[in-house]
Amino acid sequence: MSAVEDIPEPPAQDRVRLRFLQTAEDHAVKEARVLAGTTIFDAASWNGVAIDSTCGGHGTCKKCKVRVVSGNAGLSSVDPRAFSVEELKAGWRLACRAAAQEDLTVEVPPLQTRPKAALAGVGRHVILRPAVQKRYLELEEPTLEDQASDLERVLAAMDDLELRVPLDVVRGLGGVLREADWKVTAVVVDDVLTGVEPGDTSGSRHALAFDLGTTTVVATLLDLETGQPLAVRSVLNAQQPFGADVITRISATMLDASALAALRERAHETLRLLADEVCGEAAVEPDTVYEVVVTGNVTMIQLALGIDPQPLSMAPFTIAARTLPEARAADFGLRVHERAPAVLFPALGAYVGPDIVAGILATGLTLDRRVRLFVDVGTNSEIVLGSSAGALATAAPAGPAFEAAQIRCGMRAADGAIEGVKIRDGEVELTVIGDVAPEGICGSGLVDAVAELVAAGILDHSGRFVAESSERLGKIGEETVFHLADGVFLSQRDVRELQFAKASIATGWTILCRDLAIEPGEISQVLLGGSFGSYLTPASAVRIGLVPKLPLPRIVAAGNVAGEGAKIAALSVTERAAAHAVLDEVEYVELSGRTDFNDLFVDQLAFPG
């Protein structure tokens, strides 16, 4: 018998070329070469192409929709649940499930990087006393008879201050003094001589205040001479491809050793972008920004500083430090004055972090004799209840309902999102961001829709749709849905998501009321914080049981109180001390160890009668 000759198979393609067509206004085109088998989502993320996602590429949110216009990307098991047959034939795929085995051209829908966000919030008038000070000095030139050192001359002219002097200030001091003919301006931040500048620059001193949110980041440029904001901007956190919530991002660091560095750099990119934008808008030189204040939840701060966040995600939920060591603006990747410090807020616990301390500072909750309830509504909802006599704080795991991440037609608060719903005489009235055709529903629209459906009797108090109660009720598969607009609907599962979220928050404030021995009716004011809380209709919040049943004037949209707290800290060193005093004034309550949580949670699931 003759030998059978083995014919080798052609080698598999090692690398493939992906061409991304971005359908945003700039119609940008990007190309990348990646290893065959890499998902479209990962290839895009690695090469700076933003694709919408809230689950971090795990195939659960079904938002990373792209269209393959050239080449072939096979169907995954999840694609038929995300697209119609016609859409699948047209090349639509979930990017996180589409592995590139050959060269592809991919059309990427535009990502809304400027979601609707609260740029300001409830704050207080404070006495302007910034840490950044400037002194204009006219110094005597040295002589043979007066051979005092350059540094001695500068310090002697400010003998009312006891200053620490960094070595790198001394390095350039001699040249600056002589080039400026001994007429200079000393820059002092707290007790540090941060710089010596030629001429009289005493009228120019600025600070940046950041609210580093999980979804949205807000920056405010402040004039420290007047205390007034010069510019404010917001942008979507560039960490978004790693997931919509902190747990998903922490999980990313546990699954991939390089993810922590990548998340840190994404945070730095976001902060740098905003710093450049606000300085450009106000025509302010970045090197006249002598201090930055950064607040945010514990996970965001630790990721931005490159601190391992994994202990935050598992019992006993420990943080790296309640009060972090001194940091600099450069630690956040910012290109401002080279020696600008970064002011940070302390944290009460793993999930009641610096952003909530900043909110407490802004609202003055611990300074007021009235009992007030502060709720920052979000995926992890923080709750503070109390007064100057004492206060308690906790965190309620509300899940992604308010961010609309797991809602079938959910989307961010961007153009096309339904943000308000009214049902009048059976007719549905919608408020849509941007006054355009509805494309989906955001968190405030979800709360409004459910509240209106309950009031209209289309949902019963258990949260179940009432059969034949509306001609807008229908079925998608086996699930009952309520059609809000063409292609936009509310499903039974969406209602359940909201019920679990609101029950968690209501259980949180109920427990705090019990621990303070007060009735919910004794609460003088409810402050709804965060971007979501700013657009929440008070009547809807009461109707679904998210907040205590109080007269509506007592329920206030507090806005971005974390950002307001950051601004207050930039404007007053006295207020900074008050922020650190919060650690002694507010007691943290951990809900996960409470034996009464489950029973109370079940009681709060139903919508109030």
Side-chain angles (χ1 to χ4, degrees), residues 511-534:
I511 286 175
L512 296 190
C513 283
R514 288 187 176 187
D515 287 2
L516 280 181
I518 66 168
E519 293 296 323
E522 297 177 54
I523 296 172
S524 298
Q525 187 181 56
V526 176
L527 298 161
L528 295 172
S531 289
F532 175 75
S534 301

Side-chain angles (χ1 to χ4, degrees), residues 208-219:
L208 276 168
F210 291 100
D211 175 19
L212 179 57
T214 309
T215 303
T216 308
V217 185
V218 180

Side-chain angles (χ1 to χ4, degrees), residues 557-599:
N560 183 14
V561 288
E564 290 297 323
K567 287 190 276 186
I568 288 172
L571 297 176
S572 170
V573 292
T574 304
E575 295 293 339
R576 286 182 200 176
H580 285 274
V582 166
L583 292 183
D584 298 320
E585 296 167 346
V586 180
E587 180 184 347
Y588 176 65
V589 177
E590 177 58 59
L591 293 183
S592 60
R594 298 282 300 227
T595 56
D596 54 351
F597 181 86
N598 286 340
D599 289 341

Side-chain angles (χ1 to χ4, degrees), residues 91-133:
W92 286 96
R93 300 288 186 270
L94 291 178
C96 70
R97 285 293 174 265
Q101 302 291 359
E102 60 182 69
D103 294 352
L104 300 175
T105 300
V106 182
E107 187 177 88
V108 180
L111 174 66
Q112 175 56 258
T113 59
R114 305 281 180 175
K116 188 172 181 179
L119 302 181
V122 170
R124 298 183 288 110
H125 290 292
V126 299
I127 297 173
L128 185 62
R129 192 185 170 195
V132 179
Q133 302 293 329

Side-chain angles (χ1 to χ4, degrees), residues 69-342:
V69 296
S70 174
N72 180 55
L75 288 178
S76 74
S77 59
V78 185
D79 286 325
R81 299 200 293 272
F83 303 105
S84 66
V85 173
E86 291 74 18
E87 288 173 326
L88 293 172
K89 289 179 179 178
W92 286 96
R93 300 288 186 270
L94 291 178
C96 70
R97 285 293 174 265
Q101 302 291 359
E102 60 182 69
D103 294 352
L104 300 175
T105 300
V106 182
E107 187 177 88
V108 180
L111 174 66
Q112 175 56 258
T113 59
R114 305 281 180 175
K116 188 172 181 179
L119 302 181
V122 170
R124 298 183 288 110
H125 290 292
V126 299
I127 297 173
L128 185 62
R129 192 185 170 195
V132 179
Q133 302 293 329
K134 280 191 166 183
R135 296 278 188 93
Y136 174 61
L137 310 175
E138 293 188 358
L139 305 175
E140 293 292 332
E141 189 171 350
T143 62
L144 289 174
E145 291 75 26
D146 177 10
Q147 292 185 340
S149 71
D150 294 341
L151 182 58
E152 286 171 328
R153 290 180 191 280
V154 172
L155 296 179
M158 300 183 289
D159 58 3
D160 57 322
L161 302 176
E162 293 186 9
L163 299 176
R164 294 180 292 134
V165 184
L167 178 60
D168 51 354
V169 170
V170 180
R171 287 193 179 106
L173 182 61
V176 170
L177 292 175
R178 286 158 181 82
E179 289 171 13
D181 195 25
W182 303 92
K183 296 178 176 62
V184 294
T185 301
V187 184
V188 177
V189 183
D190 285 323
D191 63 342
V192 177
L193 181 63
T194 297
V196 177
E197 300 172 346
D200 185 358
T201 65
S202 57
S204 177
R205 50 183 173 140
H206 304 95
L208 276 168
F210 291 100
D211 175 19
L212 179 57
T214 309
T215 303
T216 308
V217 185
V218 180
T220 305
L221 178 66
L222 296 163
D223 183 341
L224 297 180
E225 285 292 303
T226 63
Q228 294 301 308
L230 299 177
V232 57
R233 289 288 184 96
S234 70
V235 71
L236 192 69
N237 190 325
Q239 294 176 340
Q240 171 268 341
F242 289 86
D245 55 70
V246 295
I247 296 299
T248 313
R249 294 182 197 174
I250 294 172
S251 297
T253 68
M254 299 169 73
L255 296 170
D256 181 357
S258 66
L260 178 56
L263 282 160
R264 182 187 185 194
E265 181 52 35
R266 291 293 182 98
H268 291 186
E269 287 173 12
T270 308
L271 295 171
R272 277 197 299 269
L273 170 66
L274 288 172
D276 291 345
E277 287 187 350
V278 292
C279 286
E281 180 182 332
V284 165
E285 291 298 325
D287 62 1
T288 66
V289 175
Y290 300 104
E291 187 175 66
V292 302
V293 179
V294 185
T295 192
N297 63 55
V298 173
T299 304
M300 289 300 101
I301 297 297
Q302 290 197 185
L303 288 174
L305 292 172
I307 300 171
D308 182 8
Q310 294 184 28
L312 299 171
S313 66
M314 58 192 77
F317 311 110
T318 52
I319 58 179
R322 291 188 188 277
T323 302
L324 287 166
E326 291 183 1
R328 302 180 109 184
D331 294 320
F332 288 94
L334 292 165
R335 295 186 285 257
V336 291
H337 190 278
E338 60 182 337
R339 286 179 289 279

Side-chain angles (χ1 to χ4, degrees), residues 539-550:
S540 297
V542 170
R543 190 171 292 153
I544 70 169
L546 179 66
V547 299
K549 191 173 183 179
L550 298 170

